[in-house]
Amino acid sequence: QDPVRGVNEAITPYLIKKITRYEPPKFIWRTLYTFLLLGLVIKRVLWHRKLNMQQTLQQIGRVGPDTLGVAMLTSSFVGMVFTIQFCKEFSKVGLTRVIGGLLGLAFTRELTPVICAIVLAGRVGSAIAAELGTMQVSEQVDQLRTLGSDPVDYLVAPRVVACAVSLPILSVISFTVGMASSILLADLRYGISPNAIVDSAAKYLESFDIGVMCAKGFAFGGVISVISCGWGQTTTGGAKGVGESTTASVVISLVAIFVVDFFLSMFFFKK
């Protein structure tokens, strides 16, 4: 018994010391903080109807121009790539009249909102994380609290609302540009009449598909902005921490886009 008691007396203080000094992995508490931030934004905007409109309009004016050009360019080339594949394969079996419908469905249901969300995460999400991270490590956020301003109301909610509102609009514009580039390439390269593609798209597309595209854009914009704000506001470690937070926020946003896309697709296309 004496050796056992001696071992217990040696191990117990060590375990107590380890337990008291234990810190959860950084990713876990940052994720929990991000979910908490999402709840606070929903509470402020929907429950309390409290939103800084000046900051929100300023952020919308920033999100749109930063994302629109790259999103339009990306959508146009993705549309032309899909046009090449569809025209090549469907021409072999004489089904060129369904190309417009397939392009329209692919763009509205998946391609356009995902492409615009990826561009938004790279262009705007990274900027939000870097900006809020710099403010956090330089103690500007603490100064806002000292002055009586809530960082969620002044910094987070306007950015979340701006991204969630802007992305559906960007998706509609990018969809139009992508379809236009597809029609142009099909006419010039494969001799398929623009009227045939437009008629096919009008036949297969429904208002529900446009609604799905806008709903996905709204959800992606909210997810990207909340993750970027959460990772930015939990930045530690000076300039190095700002860089790490910016990179991590973009990577996690990209993963979150595809995860949310899966669940939304399961919800909208149950049958």
Side-chain angles (χ1 to χ4, degrees), residues 28-165:
I28 293 178
W29 66 262
R30 295 182 92 171
T31 303
L32 294 176
Y33 178 82
T34 302
F35 278 109
L36 176 62
L37 202 61
L38 175 61
L40 291 174
V41 170
I42 293 174
K43 180 182 177 182
R44 295 285 202 286
V45 176
L46 299 181
W47 191 277
H48 294 161
R49 308 281 182 176
K50 189 177 181 181
L51 183 64
N52 190 324
M53 289 303 300
Q54 182 180 359
Q55 283 291 319
T56 303
L57 294 176
Q58 181 180 347
Q59 292 301 320
I60 291 175
R62 172 189 175 188
V63 170
D66 283 354
T67 311
L68 182 59
V70 182
M72 290 171 59
L73 184 65
T74 307
S75 296
S76 63
F77 278 97
V78 170
M80 288 189 286
V81 168
F82 272 77
T83 302
I84 292 171
Q85 300 299 328
F86 285 165
C87 291
K88 178 182 178 182
E89 299 302 328
F90 283 91
S91 296
K92 297 178 182 178
V93 293
L95 294 175
T96 55
R97 289 196 171 273
V98 302
I99 292 175
L102 291 176
L103 284 172
L105 291 175
F107 268 110
T108 54
R109 293 184 177 183
E110 293 298 334
L111 290 177
T112 301
V114 171
I115 289 171
C116 291
I118 292 173
V119 174
L120 183 75
R123 292 279 293 175
V124 178
S126 59
I128 290 175
E131 184 179 359
L132 296 187
T134 303
M135 295 180 69
Q136 182 67 31
V137 298
S138 61
E139 300 181 353
Q140 295 181 45
V141 177
D142 296 332
Q143 294 174 12
L144 280 176
R145 293 191 180 97
T146 304
L147 295 173
S149 299
D150 190 338
V152 175
D153 293 335
Y154 189 77
L155 297 176
V156 179
R159 286 167 171 78
V160 173
V161 173
C163 290
V165 170

